[in-house]
């Protein structure tokens, strides 16, 4: 396996917990809680979970649009010394953002409707490389061609394009600085299924051409299975399972992972053995003690409700479960 480009250690992101009205202090929300993982150079690392699992917050902590409560996010750039993104100054962080870019979920709201394409894609080139005039137009036109759009659209506005075309503009903007790491936050979830497939194929082609590493945040397991090399499954701020895509989809170890997989439509039900979780996937709350999934787990025992589970390494998977490998 290649060297890491990103190393996350003991990362926490807590919200709230400050004094409110009448002196009451509500408990802090642990949106990201003691998360650790490495992303290897050149891979597509998936982060998957339901809404509220903390996956988007984790992505924003990595790129430092949220400042984590604790922990470290070490970035290993190709032309610089390793740097902990949680500790650097805003000025240094802006320089790092040339190498770490983000593709957003909603291609409509992420593009300024008052700016033409040349400004949307080229703004960062004006600031970082000082490009103007013909040099800027040529560079933006080349980026448009890379993402499957015609250079003739340079002076058109986002409202003139379909959702899939707008997302391609977002991808072109992310690639403008020739980054090493791209965080794709639900990058295809707002698109029609047929457009999703085209966009995913484009992202894979660009990964090979530009030697990119992706952190791919999604809730759609079918999409994750198609594009990711390894997958981290998040539940209420914790990574409950981390494994290669093949191992995760053929031999899931954590009850939550199996419950997620059981909800994915499969044309041939014999293709995978899955164990249905008979408790609702929208019916849980954060446990005050013990395993956070215990209230929804069909295998939970008194131990699960009383004690935090240890992290176990089974086969090629890391699993946060008392009974991983037994049930």
């Amino acid at each position: 396996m290649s060297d890491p480009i990103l190393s996350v250690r003991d990362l926490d992101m807590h919200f709230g917990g400050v004094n409110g009205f009448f002196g009451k202090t509500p408990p802090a929300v642990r949106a990201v809680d003691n998360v650790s993982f490495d992303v290897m150079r050149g891979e597509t690392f998936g982060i998957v979970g339901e809404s509220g699992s903390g996956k988007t917050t984790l992505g924003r902590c990595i790129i430092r649009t949220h400042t984590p409560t604790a922990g470290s996010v070490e970035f290993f750039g190709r032309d610089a010394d390793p740097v902990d993104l949680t500790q650097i100054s805003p000025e240094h962080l802006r320089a790092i953002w040339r190498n770490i870019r983000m593709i957003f979920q909603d291609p409509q709201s992420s593009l300024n409707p008052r700016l033409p394409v040349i400004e949307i894609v080229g703004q960062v080139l004006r600031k970082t490389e000082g490009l103007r005039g013909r040099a800027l137009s040529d560079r933006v036109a080349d980026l448009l061609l890379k993402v499957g759009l015609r250079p003739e659209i340079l002076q058109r506005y986002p409202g003139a394009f379909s959702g899939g075309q707008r997302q391609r503009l977002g991808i072109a903007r992310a690639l403008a600085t020739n980054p090493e790491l791209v965080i794709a936050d639900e990058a295809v979830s707002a698109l029609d299924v047929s457009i999703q497939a085209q966009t995913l194929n484009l992202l894979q082609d660009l990964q090979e051409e530009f030697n990119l590493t992706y952190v791919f945040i999604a809730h759609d397991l079918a999409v994750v299975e198609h594009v990711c090399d390894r997958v981290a499954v998040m539940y209420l701020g914790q990574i409950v399972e981390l494994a290669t895509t093949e191992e995760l989809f053929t031999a899931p170890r954590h009850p939550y992972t199996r419950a997620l997989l059981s909800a994915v439509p499969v044309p041939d039900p014999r293709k995978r053995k899955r164990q249905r979780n008979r408790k609702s996937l929208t019916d849980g709350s954060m446990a005050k003690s013990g395993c956070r999934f215990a209230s929804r787990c069909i295998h939970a025992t008194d131990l699960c409700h009383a004690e935090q589970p240890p992290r176990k390494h089974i086969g090629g998977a890391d699993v946060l479960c008392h009974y991983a490998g037994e049930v």
Side-chain angles (χ1 to χ4, degrees):
M1 186 174 286
S2 63
D3 295 329
I5 189 173
L6 193 74
S7 183
V8 177
R9 290 291 178 270
D10 305 320
L11 194 69
D12 291 340
M13 184 69 231
H14 302 167
F15 296 99
V18 297
N19 289 335
F21 291 109
F22 308 112
K24 294 182 178 180
T25 303
V29 175
R30 297 173 177 266
V32 176
D33 192 15
N34 196 32
V35 165
S36 298
F37 61 89
D38 292 329
V39 178
M40 300 302 166
R41 190 175 298 276
E43 78 168 335
T44 299
F45 183 87
I47 302 174
V48 68
E50 298 168 282
S51 295
S53 62
K55 57 188 186 296
T56 292
T57 302
L58 175 56
R60 291 177 179 176
C61 288
I62 292 172
I63 204 168
R64 256 290 296 278
T65 54
H66 286 332
T67 299
T69 306
S72 64
V73 179
E74 197 167 15
F75 176 67
F76 300 86
R78 58 181 164 232
D79 300 321
D81 294 331
V83 59
D84 183 354
L85 302 181
T86 67
Q87 301 297 320
I88 60 178
S89 66
E91 292 75 17
H92 192 183
L93 186 62
R94 281 192 286 271
I96 293 293
W97 279 342
R98 295 185 61 181
N99 282 328
I100 306 176
R101 304 289 287 168
M102 198 160 191
I103 302 170
F104 298 95
Q105 175 178 0
D106 187 351
Q108 182 168 348
S109 62
S110 65
L111 304 178
N112 189 330
R114 296 182 177 86
L115 294 180
V117 168
I118 189 170
E119 291 296 329
I120 288 172
V121 178
Q123 270 185 334
V124 67
L125 295 172
R126 289 182 186 274
K127 294 178 180 179
T128 60
E129 299 184 26
L131 295 184
R132 299 287 188 277
R134 183 62 180 271
L136 180 65
S137 298
D138 289 347
R139 182 75 165 271
V140 174
D142 182 61
L143 286 166
L144 294 177
L145 287 171
K146 297 289 188 186
V147 299
L149 296 173
R150 294 179 293 107
E152 290 83 359
I153 68 171
L154 284 174
Q155 299 302 328
R156 296 175 68 182
Y157 291 81
F161 303 107
S162 67
Q165 289 171 324
R166 285 194 290 263
Q167 192 58 293
R168 287 172 185 256
L169 290 175
I171 294 170
R173 179 177 59 183
L175 295 180
T177 58
N178 191 26
E180 298 178 66
L181 176 66
V182 174
I183 300 172
D185 183 11
E186 300 276 10
V188 298
S189 64
L191 306 177
D192 293 338
V193 174
S194 60
I195 305 301
Q196 281 188 9
Q198 295 173 19
T199 306
L200 291 173
N201 290 336
L202 171 65
L203 288 171
Q204 289 179 308
D205 292 341
L206 292 170
Q207 182 176 32
E208 184 174 347
E209 181 176 355
F210 287 89
N211 297 316
L212 298 171
T213 303
Y214 289 137
V215 173
F216 197 90
I217 300 169
H219 68 272
D220 189 331
L221 285 165
V223 169
V224 168
E225 185 178 19
H226 179 66
V227 300
C228 294
D229 299 300
R230 292 187 299 139
V231 181
V233 180
M234 287 196 72
Y235 181 73
L236 290 180
Q238 296 180 325
I239 291 179
V240 297
E241 184 164 1
L242 197 164
T244 65
T245 303
E246 181 179 4
E247 183 162 4
L248 188 85
F249 280 83
T250 57
R253 310 280 186 177
H254 197 280
Y256 177 61
T257 307
R258 294 199 295 273
L260 286 179
L261 288 171
S262 72
V264 178
V266 180
D268 183 355
R270 297 167 297 179
K271 184 178 180 182
R272 301 190 189 109
K273 290 183 178 180
R274 293 175 177 167
Q275 184 168 350
R276 290 270 179 185
N277 190 321
R278 293 183 294 273
K279 296 188 179 182
S280 170
L281 279 179
T282 59
D283 196 22
S285 59
M286 186 177 295
K288 293 182 179 179
S289 62
C291 175
R292 293 185 180 180
F293 190 62
S295 65
R296 299 164 70 182
C297 182
I298 61 175
H299 305 292
T301 65
D302 290 343
L303 175 65
C304 301
H305 290 281
E307 295 182 14
Q308 283 281 348
R311 189 167 298 279
K312 299 181 179 180
H313 188 74
I314 303 172
D318 288 317
V319 191
L320 193 67
C321 179
H322 287 290
Y323 300 107
E326 299 178 32
V327 297

